[in-house]
Amino acid sequence: MLQQEATNCCLPRDSTRRVPRQHEMNPGGDAGRFPPYHAARNGTGAQHNDGRAVNQPPKPPPDFIRVRPEGMGKLVRRPISTSPLYTQYPRIQVLDGGDDKAGGMNGGVYVVQCQRSKRLYAEKVFRTDSSVYAQLAKAEIKVMRRLMHNCIIHYVDAYIREDPFEASVYMEHCDRGTLDDLIRVYRDKKKMHDQDRIPESFIWHAFLGLADALGYLQTGQSYISMPLEKNNRSDWKPIVHCDIKPGNIFLRSRDTPGSTKPFYTLLADFGLMGHEPEILPGGYCKSYGTVEFHAPELAFDPYPIGSQKGLMASPHTIKSDVWALACTIFCMCERDGLAHMDRTCWPPRSRRALGRMAKRPSLDITDTHIYSKYLARTIAWAANSDLSQRPDSWALVAKVKEQYDLWIQDPAWKSQVEVNGALPKEVTKEFML
């Protein structure tokens, strides 16, 4: 994937990885994934050992991404195939057998190996038992191929066969699981009265990058990272993810062996992005997404009654995505995957738990001696239960960056800043796939 050079902020691409210049091509990884294909001109007629002239660039390796010559240009990705790609990407490991554990639309998730490059990728197979699933699968594949951001999971290849319907998308393999896995590790520590917390520097790393990803979905522009393509903001149609939660944010190791930089945090699962809800009388619509991460305005107050069961009070919006991201970051701080919920409304998925009364009116960090006021107030602002007071994605990323800069300049947090987002090794080994 094309990368940018990060400064201060812990964006999920290695600082040694950069956007290549026009003469450089490669889809790759960290240092070494963007080798210059132009050779130094060592004299007229000079040749390499393979007989190629010094000033003649070598052929690009398998899996390259071509950058057009005009400025930053537009990345050219593989077209969506109309026939299966089994032989190009043989499966070597089952991550999910299609039993809904990794998402309702999944017909299976596998680790595959590209026959050309020998690199490992992940294959998501889509369910074929419904025409609705087929339409959602097509929409997800098309939007994944279109999206190009450092904090959004990278599309590699895909196919859609129409008759009989069958579809898969191939993406980068995230070997460290999800934020949900990370939170579970720390939740178990909390149960054992272990004082370990997720480092604030890693939380800022995730918050800043994911907020920038949401800003990109809204505008087609990146506030922080160097853009991987040029988009006309006036022509961009805002994208609402509709299912932001820890389980849909993937973690991946650095490609550079021995790197101490934080894992990449990547927003994934765009299956509901293409969902067009049917608006019913009263402005209601059928419920979709993960109800525990539905913003307050989506839930009935105090809870659904009668015919409201299975419905939402309003559809997902850009601001409901912001609320869900704030909840995700809050859960990291609290070492609890449902910390944003009012436990007095339990059990989960009960009528009370599905209502607005189950949403905590404000998200206030418990461990104020562990986490800074900068992080606490940014989370609280993004999770405002009043829709009119809550920021959209573009305003959010600007505020997160502002508060992050204040945090790194505060000498009281110097020791945390120096952690630089690294997670303890005894933690990371617990959830490596």
Side-chain angles (χ1 to χ4, degrees):
M1 182 186 290
L2 298 183
Q3 314 300 338
Q4 90 294 341
E5 186 166 341
T7 57
N8 287 334
C9 57
C10 302
L11 289 176
R13 289 292 186 260
D14 203 316
S15 61
T16 59
R17 303 165 89 173
R18 59 184 176 82
V19 175
R21 304 198 184 280
Q22 290 86 349
H23 52 263
E24 298 173 342
M25 298 175 278
N26 203 332
D30 274 354
R33 288 174 69 178
F34 292 117
Y37 290 168
H38 62 295
R41 299 176 184 268
N42 293 327
T44 306
Q47 291 185 327
H48 293 283
N49 292 335
D50 60 6
R52 176 172 41 84
V54 166
N55 60 358
Q56 177 185 352
K59 294 180 180 179
D63 288 356
F64 71 95
I65 295 177
R66 194 180 302 277
V67 182
R68 292 178 182 173
E70 62 273 18
M72 185 56 206
K74 190 177 180 69
L75 308 188
V76 179
R77 286 181 159 174
R78 287 197 185 89
I80 300 169
S81 174
T82 56
S83 57
L85 302 174
Y86 313 139
T87 57
Q88 291 94 319
Y89 300 96
R91 297 169 185 170
I92 61 175
Q93 182 183 354
V94 178
L95 297 180
D96 175 65
D99 53 5
D100 292 347
K101 289 183 179 179
M105 285 179 56
N106 291 343
V109 180
Y110 306 88
V111 177
V112 300
Q113 186 173 45
C114 176
Q115 289 294 83
R116 292 183 298 273
S117 67
K118 304 304 179 184
R119 291 181 62 85
L120 297 181
Y121 297 113
E123 175 192 10
K124 177 180 178 179
V125 180
F126 293 92
R127 291 175 60 170
T128 61
D129 52 346
S130 164
S131 59
V132 173
Y133 285 135
Q135 292 305 313
L136 291 176
K138 293 176 184 178
E140 180 171 0
I141 289 173
K142 289 176 181 177
V143 78
M144 282 188 66
R145 185 173 182 271
R146 173 189 177 195
L147 298 177
M148 297 182 184
H149 187 276
N150 287 306
C151 299
I152 292 176
I153 199 160
H154 173 57
Y155 165 98
V156 174
D157 215 337
Y159 73 86
I160 300 174
R161 186 179 67 186
E162 293 290 352
D163 189 18
F165 179 78
E166 184 179 330
S168 282
V169 63
Y170 299 88
M171 63 197 96
E172 59 183 310
H173 171 44
C174 296
D175 61 326
R176 295 292 184 165
T178 67
L179 276 185
D180 189 51
D181 297 320
L182 177 62
I183 292 171
R184 287 174 186 272
V185 170
Y186 278 91
R187 182 196 64 186
D188 292 342
K189 287 177 171 289
K190 184 178 181 179
K191 288 180 178 179
M192 299 299 292
H193 304 289
D194 192 314
Q195 297 303 307
D196 283 351
R197 306 295 199 282
I198 299 176
E200 181 165 351
S201 54
F202 181 82
I203 295 175
W204 278 116
H205 160 74
F207 202 179
L208 192 55
L210 294 168
D212 197 49
L214 290 190
Y216 169 79
L217 293 181
Q218 178 182 340
T219 65
Q221 309 291 314
S222 174
Y223 185 90
I224 297 171
S225 61
M226 186 179 293
L228 301 185
E229 64 172 349
K230 288 184 177 179
N231 292 311
N232 187 331
R233 185 166 179 170
S234 62
D235 295 337
W236 182 268
K237 182 179 179 181
I239 296 170
V240 182
H241 186 280
C242 304
D243 202 15
I244 304 288
K245 60 181 180 179
N248 282 339
I249 297 167
F250 285 75
L251 303 175
R252 186 165 76 77
S253 300
R254 297 280 168 172
D255 289 323
T256 303
S259 174
T260 58
K261 293 181 180 179
F263 296 150
Y264 304 141
T265 55
L266 304 169
L267 182 60
D269 200 342
F270 290 83
L272 294 178
M273 178 284 316
H275 184 76
E276 294 290 342
E278 178 185 358
I279 306 300
L280 305 174
Y284 305 155
C285 63
K286 289 186 177 180
S287 182
Y288 58 103
T290 305
V291 294
E292 288 80 9
F293 285 85
H294 282 181
E297 63 273 12
L298 274 59
F300 289 100
D301 190 14
Y303 49 78
I305 58 175
S307 61
Q308 294 174 343
K309 187 176 182 181
L311 301 179
M312 297 190 306
S314 64
H316 290 271
T317 64
I318 287 168
K319 288 191 175 184
S320 66
D321 274 358
V322 167
W323 187 88
L325 175 59
C327 290
T328 296
I329 301 302
F330 181 70
C331 290
M332 294 172 69
C333 297
E334 298 296 297
R335 302 185 292 174
D336 180 352
L338 293 174
H340 59 292
M341 301 289 288
D342 184 342
R343 292 302 214 286
T344 64
C345 297
W346 251 220
R349 301 295 171 101
S350 64
R351 177 171 292 184
R352 286 166 58 85
L354 296 176
R356 195 173 300 178
M357 65 183 299
K359 317 291 183 182
R360 290 176 59 172
S362 62
L363 301 186
D364 301 314
I365 292 177
T366 303
D367 298 319
T368 53
H369 64 292
I370 299 293
Y371 297 114
S372 69
K373 62 184 179 182
Y374 310 106
L375 181 60
R377 64 193 181 201
T378 308
I379 292 173
W381 182 63
N384 198 314
S385 59
D386 184 344
L387 181 63
S388 66
Q389 299 299 312
R390 192 186 313 149
D392 63 13
S393 305
W394 194 249
L396 173 66
V397 66
K399 176 65 74 172
V400 176
K401 182 63 167 64
E402 172 195 277
Q403 294 300 307
Y404 170 79
D405 288 342
L406 291 174
W407 177 71
I408 63 174
Q409 294 165 14
D410 190 333
W413 298 99
K414 183 175 184 292
S415 61
Q416 244 309 311
V417 172
E418 291 175 347
V419 172
N420 196 29
L423 296 170
K425 290 183 179 179
E426 63 271 17
V427 169
T428 60
K429 70 181 181 181
E430 294 188 42
F431 59 97
M432 185 169 184
L433 296 181

